[in-house]
Every structure is written in C-alpha cells, then in structure tokens.
Amino acid sequence: MPSATLAKLPVSDPRLDAIDWPRIGADLDAQGCAVFHKLLTRNECRALSALYPEDTRFRSRIVMARHGFGRGEYKYFNYPLPGPIAALRPAIYGPLSAIANRWNETMGIDVRFPSDHAAFLKRCHEAGQTRPTPLLLQYDAGDYNCLHQDLYGEHVFPLQVAILLSQPGEDFTGGEFVLTEQRPRMQSRAEVVSLQQGDAVVFAVHHRPVQGTRGSYRVNLRHGVSRVKTGRRHTLGVIFHDAK
C-alpha cells in the first residue's frame, strides 16, 4: 500500500478517548496485562501489514532462528514512524506513565517517568539510546516466539503494547500471545491473551508489583507467541523506550 495512503490513517481521538483507563490499570495490577479492543481498524491493520516488504521503512531485519529466539522474523521501523504508530505511541504512553510510576513507587524503584513521551525519549537519546524500537513481526505456519523481555538499554519503560494486525481464523490459526509470571518460591503462572484483528494487549516488560498477604512483592515476566499452525500472522509491537 502506498505511503501516501498510510499517512491518511491516523488514530482518531474518539478511539483513544473511549479507552477505559481505570479498567486498564486494574487489569494490569491484577494480571500484568490488559486489552484495548479495536484500537486499529481493519484497513489500518492491512495497511501496516502491507509495509513489511518495504525495506526502506525499516532499520533492521531479524530472523529469529539465527539467534535462538524462535522461528519467524521481525523488522524495526526507521524514524519517522508511520502515521498510526507515531500517533499511538505518545498518546498511550501518557496514561501508562502514571501506572508505571505507581508500580515503581510500590516496588521501591527510584526511577520516575515524565508524562510526556518526547521528554522520555530525550532521556533515552541523551543516554545513547537513539534507535527506534517499534517493530513489525511476521510469522508463518510453524513459527513461534520464545519467551523473552524487550530490554534495550539503561532506560526501560516498564510497559509495552502488541497490536494484532491479522484476523484469527481467517489469516492464521494458532499463534496465541502468551505471558508468564515467575513468582518467588512458587511455580510460574501463564496467561494466554485472546485478541481479534485491531486489538492490542498492554503488558509488563520486565517486572511488576503483586500484593501478597505480607505486603507487595516483585514478580518477573516474559512474553512470547505460541506456534502458528496455519497461515500468516502480523503483529505491531509498540515499545516506548528507544535502543542503543
């Protein structure tokens, strides 16, 4: 799809205004993830997926099997980001920064995040983290993504977003988003998140606080994608910190 067409697909304010942030915060507190329903339209999803062959849009391509990351591949976007991503990233960051600051305070972590995404990126860039991190992932039948964390430098925003660009049952089968939580002195807990095309999941990048009987404690999280059984699956990853 031509770049000019994609540029006319910004995320409209009504969709962002309709997000139930108290529910998002409560779900993140309860299970480390939450779902934004219909964050992108079908046309926006198709337009973003269609960018994958356009190498000039991206700064690098990663074949997962070469690094032991799983099977499949992904590409990191160059700046400037496509219109919908450039609109979403700062708009969603603002409310999430309040949750991130509350979590850090609970966990006794001194780092605080500004409410403005540009101010946070300035912090990243001053530390040498200047490479954009939003990415487009492509999985074919048999592909999967091992459990991992997206940490790219000293400055890490503790929440990130994955948007499903393909339609389950129509474009692909299998390929569920999986989140695991490692709890101290307990067995790990798994969460499988069901998404439809245009839905997004926001989740903890690294760790989050959990309220126990003796106060709060910190748990470690990893995320991945189960094996795609048929078809092709595209996902947009929106990471709020830049990379070294």
Side-chain angles (χ1 to χ4, degrees):
M1 184 169 290
S3 300
T5 304
L6 186 66
K8 296 177 183 177
L9 296 174
V11 176
S12 62
D13 288 341
R15 269 180 285 175
L16 295 174
D17 292 341
I19 293 174
D20 183 352
W21 285 107
R23 177 188 66 81
I24 295 295
D27 287 350
L28 283 166
D29 287 345
Q31 60 236 9
C33 63
V35 175
F36 301 106
H37 295 288
K38 298 181 180 179
L39 192 60
L40 293 177
T41 67
R42 182 180 179 90
N43 286 340
E44 289 168 338
C45 290
R46 296 299 188 200
L48 287 165
S49 293
L51 293 180
Y52 201 82
E54 298 183 19
D55 287 340
T56 57
R57 289 275 191 171
F58 303 94
R59 65 174 176 84
S60 66
R61 170 176 173 261
I62 305 297
V63 177
M64 287 192 251
R66 295 176 183 169
H67 306 277
F69 296 164
R71 279 182 52 180
E73 59 181 64
Y74 54 91
K75 295 179 178 179
Y76 289 104
F77 281 99
N78 276 321
Y79 281 131
L81 299 173
I85 308 172
L88 271 174
R89 203 180 184 206
I92 293 178
Y93 168 90
L96 289 180
S97 67
I99 298 171
N101 285 332
R102 176 168 55 80
W103 277 11
N104 275 9
E105 182 177 4
T106 301
M107 292 185 290
I109 298 173
D110 292 335
V111 175
R112 297 294 181 269
F113 301 96
S115 60
D116 179 65
H117 187 239
F120 176 60
L121 284 184
K122 183 174 184 291
R123 181 188 297 179
C124 292
H125 294 176
E126 288 174 348
Q129 295 177 217
T130 59
R131 295 189 297 166
T133 49
L135 67 161
L136 196 56
L137 301 100
Q138 179 172 282
Y139 304 90
D140 288 321
D143 291 348
Y144 59 92
N145 198 344
C146 295
L147 295 170
H148 66 284
Q149 298 170 328
D150 294 310
L151 309 173
Y152 296 104
E154 174 189 358
H155 297 284
V156 174
F157 189 72
L159 294 158
Q160 69 186 73
V161 173
I163 306 172
L164 184 60
L165 302 180
S166 305
Q167 180 59 43
E170 179 181 327
D171 298 319
F172 72 98
T173 61
E176 294 88 358
F177 178 87
V178 180
L179 188 72
T180 64
E181 189 173 86
Q182 296 172 296
R183 301 174 295 171
R185 299 177 297 281
M186 290 185 283
Q187 293 180 329
S188 295
R189 182 183 72 89
E191 183 84 16
V192 177
V193 182
S194 297
L195 301 172
Q196 296 297 309
Q197 186 179 47
D199 289 350
V201 56
V202 55
F203 55 96
V205 175
H206 186 197
H207 45 237
R208 73 178 184 96
V210 172
Q211 187 63 39
T213 56
R214 299 181 180 179
S216 64
Y217 60 94
R218 190 183 305 188
V219 298
N220 195 49
L221 294 100
R222 297 181 183 274
H223 64 278
V225 172
S226 69
R227 180 174 58 87
V228 173
K229 296 178 181 177
T230 62
R232 172 169 285 179
R233 179 189 193 274
H234 283 115
T235 305
L236 172 65
V238 181
I239 297 166
F240 297 99
H241 48 275
D242 278 353
K244 277 190 175 292

